[in-house]
Amino acid sequence: MIEKILFTDRLVLRRSETVLSGMVTEYFIRNADFLKAWDAAHDSAFYTEAYQKKVLEQDKKNFFQGQSLRYWLMPENENVVIDNISFNNIVMGPFCSCFLGYRLDEKRQGRGLMTEALRKGIETAFGPLGLHRIEANIIPRNRASLRVAEKLHFRNEGLSSKYLKINGVWEDHIHMVLLNEEME
């Protein structure tokens, strides 16, 4: 069973639900400038609660259809969203794989929070979700994100040229992979 709420030493991870729309909107507004370097370009509608509520509704549908799983992270004892982790484009059958996405509030960087959250998320992805492979694609200049993946034992499988359009520019990405060795 995939839990709605997960706990780590310092964080509460909540699966996407519309009740979080206000906090999610505040998170994106607070981090708009910081995330431009790592995210797709967004129009002004993206930064509204109505838009984020629709995204959260779609997240919930995608989860129940077995296509994705997203958790929003909140520090223990704080009522604020500081980031999210997502397992997207889940394909089961002989592939049992997904793409990993993660982002962290600019003011919470460098404290090991993302590593802590991803450890718990990976435990769920490799356990109850039943995945064999998690793929993360990271812009080479994003040293912090690469360090997180390396700490979690992701393996570099090469460079994907002009892989994603980030803030209007086609960016190369390093293809990082983590395998669920226990399934083998």
Side-chain angles (χ1 to χ4, degrees):
M1 181 169 116
I2 309 296
E3 299 293 332
K4 279 183 99 166
I5 300 174
L6 303 174
F7 298 93
T8 69
D9 289 342
R10 300 176 289 170
L11 299 168
V12 176
L13 288 68
R14 292 183 62 179
R15 212 169 62 208
S16 286
E17 54 186 333
T18 56
V19 71
L20 298 174
S21 62
M23 289 186 282
V24 169
T25 304
E26 290 171 11
Y27 164 79
F28 281 116
I29 291 170
R30 188 172 63 246
N31 288 281
D33 289 336
F34 173 67
L35 292 174
K36 280 181 185 175
W38 319 114
D39 211 354
H42 301 293
D43 63 17
S44 60
F46 179 85
Y47 299 98
T48 65
E49 188 169 350
Y51 183 94
Q52 292 304 322
K53 188 174 184 178
K54 287 179 185 175
V55 171
L56 291 165
E57 287 171 357
Q58 189 61 53
D59 279 353
K60 192 173 179 180
K61 287 178 188 172
N62 291 346
F63 169 72
F64 285 112
Q65 292 171 354
Q67 299 171 345
S68 68
L69 170 62
R70 183 186 320 266
Y71 283 105
W72 294 91
L73 284 59
M74 304 170 72
E76 190 177 59
N77 304 319
E78 286 184 55
N79 200 26
V80 61
V81 164
I82 61 165
D83 54 33
N84 73 73
I85 60 174
S86 58
F87 302 91
N88 301 304
N89 300 321
I90 295 171
V91 177
M92 296 308 286
F95 195 43
C96 292
S97 185
C98 75
F99 291 106
L100 173 66
Y102 53 94
R103 50 170 68 103
L104 179 63
D105 194 297
E106 180 178 22
K107 293 186 173 148
R108 308 288 178 137
Q109 302 279 317
R111 301 178 194 177
L113 293 169
M114 183 51 66
T115 303
E116 182 177 323
L118 284 172
R119 271 197 186 103
K120 192 64 165 182
I122 291 166
E123 186 179 296
T124 298
F126 282 169
L129 197 53
L131 295 177
H132 173 254
R133 181 181 180 92
I134 299 172
E135 303 181 25
N137 293 288
I138 303 168
I139 296 173
R141 70 176 181 283
N142 191 343
R143 297 300 313 152
S145 187
L146 285 168
R147 275 194 311 275
V148 168
E150 289 163 355
K151 279 193 269 184
L152 294 167
H153 307 290
F154 277 73
R155 196 175 72 242
N156 182 334
E157 287 196 342
L159 184 71
S160 298
S161 297
K162 299 180 183 181
Y163 182 74
L164 288 173
K165 196 171 191 179
I166 303 296
N167 199 25
V169 176
W170 288 102
E171 296 270 6
D172 295 348
H173 282 66
I174 296 173
H175 186 73
M176 303 290 286
V177 173
L178 182 66
L179 297 177
N180 182 355
E181 305 289 347
E182 291 181 20
M183 280 185 83
E184 299 171 19

